[in-house]
Amino acid sequence: MHEPVPTGGPRVFISYANDHGPHAEAVIRLWRSLIAHGIGAYLDVEDQDNRQDWPLWMQRQIDAADYVIVVASTAYRDRAEQRIERGVGRGVAHESAYLRELVYENPGNSRRFLPVLLPGETPDGIPAFLGRYGGTRYELRSFTAAGLEPLLRALTNQPKYPRPPLGTIPALPPARDPGPDAPPDPGSAPATRRAPGPSAQSVTGSTVHGSVVQIRNVNGSVRFTRGGGPVGIPASDLPGADLPGAEPPRMTAVPPSPDAGQVVTDSRVGDGVTQLDGVGGDVEIS
């Protein structure tokens, strides 16, 4: 018996359905590639020229292996599940029956049995007892290190995303207990509407002096007693105010009807003004 000697890597037995064609050739490529990448892989072709008790050989290989690679194919599935004519594929039938017995004896053994899909194969070829759709499977893109990466990581216990070291729990201070007589926390008080500042005035039949920011809902007439520019800016400071023929700044009054806008400068606006914006000067309300 000619066995490769593992050099620190895991021992792996490859179980497959030999079709004596392209599928078997692909399995041999997998076997050689695993050995080239430090995996002690074993395949029946190594001893096919020596007289063997094949059922015993298979059983010993499975028992000695750290992992068993089950190369999925429809032929392997059908032989493992006895879907084919009796007497066909005895080797796979024996191997799969022994694997199934080990899983039945101890379900934890299934962690050692890795379903592998060669390029072009589908999960339909995985025997049901290995988790055809609900279990982990290893799909190979090629026989290079990159193509074998998921399988190599599993065989050598090199996860792609290793768990980081556990850090230290931060010490978080408790909330301060203010006591029953402490004033309420301003941050927890309900939001309140801030009272109008000095520039907000409610007037009727009077005069508002200074730069009026906004006038709303005026019941009566509005007269500008002194023209000005926008809020807080003298008319003389507006761009273009010093150009020959420049017109004085004009303010806008918005009446109740949106279709009846009025433009006024140092003049009277009719009854029912809804809003005046940016008035720089005095406004007389009568």
Side-chain angles (χ1 to χ4, degrees), residues 2 5 26 55 64 73-74 139 146 148 152 163 173 183-184 193 204 206 210 230 246 266-267 273 276:
H2 306 289
V5 179
S73 66
T74 54
E139 302 182 26
L148 296 173
L152 291 175
R163 184 179 181 85
R193 183 180 298 276
T204 302
S206 180
D266 209 17
S267 62
V273 175
L276 290 174

Side-chain angles (χ1 to χ4, degrees), residues 144-171:
T144 64
L148 296 173
E149 181 180 344
L151 179 60
L152 291 175
R153 288 188 178 279
L155 294 175
T156 59
N157 191 28
Q158 298 184 77
K160 189 172 184 179
Y161 301 102
R163 184 179 181 85
L166 188 64
T168 303
I169 298 176

Side-chain angles (χ1 to χ4, degrees), residues 73-97:
S73 66
T74 54
Y76 194 102
R77 177 203 65 197
D78 291 346
R79 295 173 188 180
E81 297 177 357
Q82 300 180 4
R83 300 186 183 186
I84 59 174
E85 181 182 352
R86 186 173 181 177
V88 176
R90 289 189 178 94
V92 168
H94 182 80
E95 287 178 15
S96 60

Side-chain angles (χ1 to χ4, degrees), residues 2 17 32 41 43 54 60 68-69 84 88 113 115 121 134 145 153 174 194 231 241 275:
H2 306 289
R32 289 174 173 165
L43 191 65
W54 286 111
R60 286 176 175 173
V68 175
I69 288 177
I84 59 174
V88 176
F113 309 149
E121 294 291 344
R153 288 188 178 279
R194 182 174 296 178
V231 177
Q275 180 175 318

Side-chain angles (χ1 to χ4, degrees), residues 105-245:
E105 175 187 341
N106 180 6
N109 281 325
S110 62
R111 295 179 180 272
R112 295 174 50 220
F113 309 149
L114 310 182
V116 168
L117 302 181
L118 297 181
E121 294 291 344
T122 69
D124 289 338
I126 300 175
F129 76 92
L130 291 179
R132 181 173 299 145
Y133 299 108
T136 302
R137 57 182 181 268
Y138 300 89
E139 302 182 26
L140 308 185
R141 303 192 310 271
S142 67
F143 299 106
T144 64
L148 296 173
E149 181 180 344
L151 179 60
L152 291 175
R153 288 188 178 279
L155 294 175
T156 59
N157 191 28
Q158 298 184 77
K160 189 172 184 179
Y161 301 102
R163 184 179 181 85
L166 188 64
T168 303
I169 298 176
L172 303 176
R176 185 177 61 88
D177 184 2
D181 299 328
D185 182 1
S188 61
T192 58
R193 183 180 298 276
R194 182 174 296 178
S199 62
Q201 304 184 47
S202 177
V203 295
T204 302
S206 180
T207 299
V208 182
H209 299 281
S211 296
V212 180
V213 177
Q214 189 175 82
I215 302 176
R216 293 178 179 271
N217 300 325
V218 179
N219 294 320
S221 299
V222 175
R223 175 181 175 80
F224 294 92
T225 60
R226 183 183 58 189
V231 177
I233 303 177
S236 59
D237 291 344
L238 291 175
D242 56 345
L243 297 178

Side-chain angles (χ1 to χ4, degrees), residues 28-95:
I28 293 175
R29 290 186 62 191
L30 171 63
W31 166 61
R32 289 174 173 165
S33 182
L34 289 174
I35 294 175
H37 290 95
I39 307 299
Y42 292 81
L43 191 65
D44 60 356
V45 295
E46 299 177 67
D47 291 316
Q48 67 180 4
D49 297 329
N50 301 320
R51 190 175 188 280
Q52 298 289 341
D53 179 341
W54 286 111
L56 182 59
W57 182 92
M58 297 172 189
Q59 184 172 329
R60 286 176 175 173
Q61 290 290 338
I62 292 173
D63 289 342
D66 297 306
Y67 295 97
V68 175
I69 288 177
V70 175
V71 181
S73 66
T74 54
Y76 194 102
R77 177 203 65 197
D78 291 346
R79 295 173 188 180
E81 297 177 357
Q82 300 180 4
R83 300 186 183 186
I84 59 174
E85 181 182 352
R86 186 173 181 177
V88 176
R90 289 189 178 94
V92 168
H94 182 80
E95 287 178 15

